[in-house]
């Protein structure tokens, strides 16, 4: 039995660890984002008894219960899996004052023993079997199983058939491998305190626990305890977190969100359809002239008609006639410039200039020419005065031509004052040349 347990232990612990790792992967994203308390310490007390409820015979027919107590430290890795370090101590007692349950009486050998269990320190994998309420995120009750391995130290004292009590192994402390297997139930009293009820069977790798060799069985003892467990750190206890309920809530929330998104999508589709209808109506162009009906002020325009921005036919400009200016035309203009005289310091045209100006007017009317008049002065007087005089003289010539039937829009009059001399202003002849009105046909 002992050898079989030793062979099975590594595989059992590996299976528990792999199972816990697999369960860790199933923990929902909500657990990953929340802060949980994963460390805890516990104190417990209970009954130590040297019986073998899982098979085999005890070396003594009458086992007795004794007080035991212990401490524990636990690290919770997932809602289902944790590693727990336990330490217990107490006394184990038994005698042969009564026969076995089968009626067989014990004969020979020691008649009683008492073992001081100095310690039993073990590391166990603990697996939470399930949460009672599948739809509650934080349960109050959970069931668990555990298995592990560790070391026990103890000193047996035996009583012989003659009533002599002696220390086994000359009073030396014996240390042996122990394998605890247990189950229990845990109740969450408050956010950080749990009430723990558990029962564990410790399989001892030896037959020294009761100081007696009888039945060729490895010794065993069990510990039924009650205790308090205190969660450390902030947040709710990970051990009581229920991924199933969290997944259900997330599924419900996701379904509600999907329903809301579908409703929003349907509303958006309806709005898009209305916008498309409105846009089609807005862009409708019945006559195909490129201007929407809502903006078309001339509906029904024939196809291929060039229209303006209002949808009305665009008036095509008449071709611009090419202007041909002959040498005779230029001579008429030169004569007018040559004979053009003004009263001294004024913009009044002297009458002797009218005949040549009349010929220029006739030229502009009959040949549809345009004319640019540019007035100039010498540097006598201020620049402002000369600028005004040159402008007034050019305007005076324009006014006379218009009075003779010339289209005013075809005559441009500009004054340049003394800014564009064509001769030196230091001589009278030069100043005479600078006092002029230039005619430019185009």
């Amino acid at each position: 039995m002992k050898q079989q347990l030793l062979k099975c232990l590594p595989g059992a612990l590996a299976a528990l660890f792999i199972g816990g790792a697999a369960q860790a992967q199933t923990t929902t994203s909500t657990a990953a984002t929340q802060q949980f308390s994963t460390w805890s310490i516990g104190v417990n007390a209970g009954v130590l008894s040297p019986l073998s409820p899982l098979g085999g015979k005890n070396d003594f027919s009458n086992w007795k219960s004794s007080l035991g107590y212990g401490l524990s430290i636990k690290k919770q890795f997932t809602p289902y899996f944790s590693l727990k370090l336990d330490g217990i101590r107490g006394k184990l007692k038994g005698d042969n004052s009564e026969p076995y349950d089968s009626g067989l009486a014990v004969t020979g050998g020691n008649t009683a023993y008492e073992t001081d269990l100095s310690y039993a320190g073990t590391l166990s994998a603990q697996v939470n079997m399930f949460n009672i309420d599948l739809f509650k995120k934080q349960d109050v009750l959970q069931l668990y199983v555990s298995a592990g391995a560790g070391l026990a130290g103890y000193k047996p004292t035996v009583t012989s058939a003659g009533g002599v009590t002696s220390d086994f192994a000359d009073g030396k402390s014996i240390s042996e491998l122990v394998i605890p297997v247990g189950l229990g139930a845990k109740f969450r009293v408050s956010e950080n305190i749990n009430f723990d009820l558990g029962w564990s069977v410790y399989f001892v790798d030896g037959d020294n626990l009761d100081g007696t060799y009888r039945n060729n069985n490895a010794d065993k003892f069990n510990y039924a305890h009650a205790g308090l467990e205190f969660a450390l750190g902030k947040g709710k206890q990970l051990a009581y977190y229920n991924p199933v309920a969290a997944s259900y809530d997330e599924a419900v929330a996701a379904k509600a969100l999907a329903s809301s998104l579908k409703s929003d999508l349907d509303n958006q589709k309806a709005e898009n359809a209305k916008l498309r209808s409105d846009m089609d109506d807005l862009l409708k162009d019945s006559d195909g002239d490129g201007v929407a009906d809502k903006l078309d002020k001339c509906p029904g325009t024939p196809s291929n008609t060039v229209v303006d921005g209002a949808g009305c036919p665009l008036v095509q400009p008449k071709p611009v006639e090419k202007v041909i200016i002959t040498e005779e035309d230029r001579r008429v203009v030169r004569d007018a410039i040559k004979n053009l005289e003004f009263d001294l310091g004024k913009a009044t045209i002297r009458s002797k200039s009218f005949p040549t100006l009349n010929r220029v007017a006739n030229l502009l009317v009959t040949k549809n020419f345009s004319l640019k008049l540019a007035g100039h002065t010498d540097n006598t007087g201020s620049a402002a005065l000369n600028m005004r005089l040159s402008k007034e003289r050019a305007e005076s010539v324009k006014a006379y031509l218009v009075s003779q039937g010339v289209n005013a829009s075809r005559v441009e009059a500009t004054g340049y004052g003394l800014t564009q001399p064509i001769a030196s202003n230091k001589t009278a002849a030069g100043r005479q040349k600078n006092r002029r009105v230039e005619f430019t046909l185009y």
Side-chain angles (χ1 to χ4, degrees):
M1 180 70 176
K2 172 180 70 178
Q3 297 299 328
Q4 291 177 345
L5 287 171
L6 290 175
K7 290 179 180 179
C8 293
L9 177 63
L13 289 176
L16 285 171
F17 184 79
I18 293 172
Q23 290 162 344
Q25 295 177 354
T26 64
T27 304
T28 62
S29 58
T30 305
T33 58
Q34 290 184 4
Q35 182 180 12
F36 288 101
S37 171
T38 60
W39 285 95
S40 62
I41 59 174
V43 295
N44 55 73
V47 177
L48 276 169
S49 54
L51 87 146
S52 172
L54 300 179
K57 280 190 175 182
N58 298 312
D59 291 336
F60 290 84
S61 61
N62 185 36
W63 55 270
K64 297 182 178 181
S65 298
S66 303
L67 175 66
Y69 53 93
L71 299 171
S72 66
I73 300 176
K74 186 180 74 171
K75 168 63 176 178
Q76 193 77 35
F77 293 96
T78 76
Y80 302 102
F81 178 78
S82 62
L83 290 178
K84 185 178 181 183
L85 185 64
D86 285 289
I88 63 171
R89 65 176 303 169
K91 292 185 180 296
L92 297 168
K93 299 177 182 180
D95 59 32
N96 293 323
S97 60
E98 297 177 3
Y100 288 113
D101 291 339
S102 63
L104 179 65
V106 181
T107 58
N110 297 322
T111 60
Y113 80 96
E114 180 178 312
T115 298
D116 181 13
L117 181 63
S118 302
Y119 66 89
T122 57
L123 177 64
S124 299
Q126 181 172 299
V127 177
N128 296 335
M129 300 300 292
F130 58 85
N131 289 304
I132 299 302
D133 189 346
L134 294 179
F135 298 100
K136 192 173 183 180
K137 288 185 179 179
Q138 282 297 109
D139 271 331
V140 296
L141 171 63
Q142 60 183 208
L143 305 178
Y144 64 85
V145 294
S146 63
L151 194 66
Y154 54 88
K155 291 182 180 181
T157 301
V158 297
T159 302
S160 66
V164 178
T165 300
S166 61
D167 292 331
F168 180 74
D170 297 328
K172 294 180 181 178
S173 180
I174 301 172
S175 297
E176 289 182 323
L177 174 69
V178 290
I179 300 172
V181 177
L183 54 84
K186 196 171 293 185
F187 303 85
R188 183 163 59 90
V189 178
S190 68
E191 198 58 58
N192 297 313
I193 301 176
N194 307 319
F195 179 65
D196 184 24
L197 291 176
W199 175 64
S200 299
V201 178
Y202 287 74
F203 296 89
V204 183
D205 184 25
D207 195 13
N208 301 308
L209 187 66
D210 53 12
T212 301
Y213 301 103
R214 184 187 289 135
N215 299 324
N216 295 320
N217 286 328
D219 292 323
K220 311 170 188 68
F221 66 92
N222 47 118
Y223 179 50
H225 70 271
L228 294 177
E229 184 180 52
F230 302 93
L232 305 178
K234 297 180 180 180
K236 297 181 178 180
Q237 297 183 60
L238 181 58
Y240 288 94
Y241 174 73
N242 189 348
V244 175
S247 299
Y248 176 78
D249 289 349
E250 288 181 358
V252 171
K255 183 177 180 181
L257 178 60
S259 177
S260 175
L261 290 176
K262 185 178 183 303
S263 177
D264 292 344
L265 182 60
D266 291 341
N267 291 337
Q268 190 62 52
K269 286 181 178 178
E271 185 176 346
N272 290 343
K274 183 178 182 301
L275 287 175
R276 280 195 296 270
S277 177
D278 293 344
M279 186 63 69
D280 291 342
D281 185 53
L282 182 64
L283 298 179
K284 185 178 180 181
D285 181 13
S286 300
D287 55 10
D289 60 0
V291 179
D293 290 352
K294 289 185 177 295
L295 302 177
D296 198 340
K297 294 182 179 179
C298 299
T301 304
S303 59
N304 300 322
T305 301
V306 180
V307 298
D308 57 17
C312 295
L314 191 64
V315 177
Q316 298 294 326
K318 294 181 179 180
V320 178
E321 296 180 1
K322 186 176 181 180
V323 177
I324 300 175
I325 301 175
T326 66
E327 184 60 31
E328 177 61 21
D329 297 334
R330 292 189 178 91
R331 186 188 64 77
V332 171
V333 171
R334 286 196 299 270
D335 288 346
I337 295 173
K338 182 178 179 181
N339 294 298
L340 181 60
E341 293 183 6
F342 295 92
D343 289 345
L344 183 63
K346 297 181 180 179
T348 304
I349 303 173
R350 291 179 177 177
S351 59
K352 64 175 293 186
S353 303
F354 293 160
T356 54
L357 287 176
N358 291 341
R359 287 194 288 272
V360 171
N362 181 65
L363 188 64
L364 295 177
V365 172
T366 58
K367 291 196 173 183
N368 207 26
F369 287 158
S370 295
L371 179 66
K372 180 177 180 180
L373 300 171
H376 301 274
T377 65
D378 59 20
N379 64 350
T380 303
S382 67
L385 176 64
N386 285 315
M387 180 64 72
R388 183 177 70 254
L389 181 61
S390 66
K391 173 68 174 175
E392 289 176 350
R393 284 181 173 178
E395 289 288 350
S396 179
V397 174
K398 176 180 178 179
Y400 181 80
L401 294 175
V402 170
S403 70
Q404 299 303 309
V406 175
N407 188 341
S409 64
R410 289 190 171 275
V411 181
E412 177 185 353
T414 306
Y416 294 96
L418 54 80
T419 61
Q420 296 181 5
I422 58 174
S424 173
N425 282 310
K426 293 181 179 180
T427 64
R431 288 192 294 274
Q432 177 63 37
K433 290 182 178 180
N434 290 333
R435 294 191 295 272
R436 69 196 189 278
V437 175
E438 296 179 344
F439 289 53
T440 304
L441 284 175
Y442 63 94

